[in-house]
Amino acid sequence: MKFQPVKGTRDFYPEQMAVRNYIVNGWKAASVRSGFVEYDGPIFEYLAMYQAKSGQEIAQQLFSLTDRGGRELAIRPEITPTLARMVNEKINSLPRPIKWFSVPRLCRAENTQKGRLREFFQWNIDVIGVDDVIADADVIFTSIDYLRSTGLTAGDIQAKISSRKLLAAVLVELGISGESLDAIYVLLDKKTKLPAETFDAMLLEKIGDGGVVEKIKKLMEITAVEQIADIVRPGPAVQQGLDEVSRLFVILSNMGIDNYCRFDMSIVRGLAYYTGVVFEVHDVTGRLRAICGGGRYDNLLKDFGGPAISATGMGMGDCVLEILLEEKGLLKERIAANKIDYFVACADERLFGRAVETACKLRTLGRIAEFAYKPGNLAKQLKQADSMKCRFCVIIGRELEECGKLIVKNMADGSQSQISMEEFFRGND
Ligand code: HAM
């Protein structure tokens, strides 16, 4: 019998693993730079947890199972509900603000496509306990700070930022009832993924008034906060939303990332729990799906049985990011292969014990050292050292017996020198 990897999953051979590690290490370093601390949770949770709050789309993509005790479970499609559950459990003992990050492996039974798989890694950063756009700005900064560190410029990527609070206020001013907002968000989030006529027809079916539909479509094209006044006369709720967004942009400018950020009313986000600032980072050509997305979710902790505490955060997958870094030529030279410092070759079988001893002593001293399992054929061993891209090859042979010396060959330029065992180890101590 022969098996293939399951659709939407990946095998990580060492070469792919190096890419994954490069990405994950960068995520972790950026989190730490911004003061986030790491957490993790279980890989499966109760199914109901995701059905309750993640929203329609994710609920339809769950990998669910019934365990032997009859419990309905699901593999995590996101970690935000777990985070809310964990924070609620210890809410009184956690110092605030809570700034946590995680890099979970997630599963979603999606229709696989470029940048969308069924199993992926997702960097999450979240700030809990801060009811102010300063926390949203900190999350956006940390996301951009990471992306900038990979070599992506403001000419490659842009954070598109909006606010569900502002959108809700405008929609209510346009006569839409508060109860139908959630369903409209889901539809607006799909705008770019649906053919224009289908989107128009669905929106008309939901709203029922062609004039309002036209205004909403105009609203979705707004890229400067001032343009909102062309659509509705700002009442107090709209004005509050506008003030908040304006203040956010002032902070983003203080943070030095305003060139990476722009206002874009078409960003709504698919998940049900967002309540305030929402954002997504996209490649500027718009060919790829979002690199990351997030926003404020002020009701989730309360909805999960905890106190009313505000929260904001974002998730960034590894798939679109890897495609973009590859396309921009930003992966190859940045992935430092674990270069071996020393390859210990043994030209004489009788000295094999000394070769093993030398290699292992180098390892104890913190050097990356490898040795040939089969001594004797020096040419073969030098070839192995070369293919492993070792920096130096240490040759144990006749010289060791005759005068206690090793040969050290520089693999880059081919030069070689003799050195006593003691001196060699002193140099590596
Ligand atoms: P999300 O928009 O569902 O948000 O996912 C965020 C990011 O995860 C996407 O922009 C994409 O990079 C990646 N992603 C999602 N699904 C897939 C997939 N099937 N294959 C590859 N990558 C994918 C959330 O998950 C929120 N929980 C993020 C968040 C954290 N909001 C607040 N805190």
Side-chain angles (χ1 to χ4, degrees), residues 47-318:
L47 173 71
M49 199 164 104
Y50 304 113
Q51 287 171 327
K53 282 292 151 198
S54 291
Q56 221 181 46
E57 197 170 318
I58 281 195
Q60 285 162 0
Q61 297 168 343
L62 289 171
F63 279 101
S64 53
L65 60 135
T66 307
D67 78 359
R68 293 214 248 168
R71 296 172 198 87
E72 299 279 325
L73 309 175
I75 300 176
R76 60 188 179 189
E78 57 162 341
I79 202 172
T80 314
T82 302
L83 169 72
R85 181 179 63 65
M86 285 170 63
V87 169
N88 274 345
E89 235 162 75
K90 295 211 186 260
I91 193 67
N92 293 323
S93 58
L94 296 171
R96 302 209 202 147
I98 296 160
K99 288 179 72 171
W100 284 6
F101 81 92
S102 193
V103 184
R105 184 192 281 258
L106 305 178
C107 290
R108 294 184 190 179
E110 290 224 32
N111 282 327
T112 53
Q113 49 175 288
K114 200 173 179 189
R116 281 292 178 278
L117 295 176
R118 294 193 165 177
E119 187 196 44
F120 59 100
F121 292 87
Q122 191 196 58
W123 175 35
N124 280 254
I125 46 173
D126 291 270
V127 181
I128 297 175
V130 182
D131 184 16
D132 190 284
V133 288
I134 187 73
D136 303 284
D138 208 9
V139 168
I140 297 172
F141 172 82
T142 307
S143 315
I144 296 295
D145 181 44
Y146 163 70
L147 292 167
R148 207 167 42 177
S149 76
T150 65
L152 291 168
T153 67
D156 300 319
I157 51 155
Q158 283 284 306
K160 298 179 179 179
I161 302 166
S162 186
S163 158
R164 271 215 187 161
K165 198 193 262 182
L166 176 60
L167 178 62
V170 174
L171 292 176
V172 168
E173 292 256 357
L174 289 174
I176 290 162
S177 72
E179 300 83 67
S180 46
L181 288 178
D182 280 348
I184 292 176
Y185 295 151
V186 172
L187 184 55
L188 294 182
D189 180 62
K190 290 211 172 81
K191 186 172 186 292
T192 52
K193 297 159 205 156
L194 289 171
E197 315 78 64
T198 316
F199 173 77
D200 291 359
M202 287 170 82
L203 194 56
L204 186 60
E205 196 194 322
K206 277 242 149 59
I207 310 270
D209 178 331
V212 175
V213 165
E214 283 314 306
K215 283 189 174 166
I216 293 178
K217 281 168 63 186
K218 263 206 187 129
L219 187 67
M220 290 294 100
E221 277 154 27
I222 284 181
T223 52
V225 267
E226 308 79 52
Q227 294 167 345
I228 288 188
D230 300 343
I231 292 174
V232 283
R233 194 136 44 84
V238 173
Q239 194 54 51
Q240 202 198 352
L242 286 172
D243 292 346
E244 225 175 64
V245 171
S246 304
R247 218 168 69 72
L248 172 68
F249 273 86
V250 170
I251 301 171
L252 294 172
S253 162
N254 296 149
M255 291 173 152
I257 55 161
D258 42 340
N259 57 335
Y260 278 89
C261 300
R262 60 166 106 133
F263 180 72
D264 188 330
M265 204 71 193
S266 71
I267 298 302
V268 182
R269 308 277 299 128
L271 292 162
Y273 47 67
Y274 293 115
T275 55
V277 169
V278 278
F279 79 100
E280 286 178 3
V281 178
H282 287 260
D283 77 293
V284 290
T285 67
R287 283 172 307 108
L288 300 170
R289 297 203 38 178
I291 299 167
C292 71
R296 178 161 285 278
Y297 49 100
D298 282 348
N299 299 328
L300 192 64
L301 275 84
K302 180 163 55 76
D303 291 347
F304 275 18
I309 292 179
S310 19
T312 182
M314 77 94 212
M316 181 186 297
D318 61 332

Side-chain angles (χ1 to χ4, degrees), residues 342-345 352 355-356 359-360 363 369-374 384:
Y342 291 106
F343 185 91
V344 181
F352 187 53
V356 174
C360 293
R363 290 175 180 173
E370 180 58 301
F371 61 93
Y373 285 174
K374 216 167 178 309
Q384 189 183 349

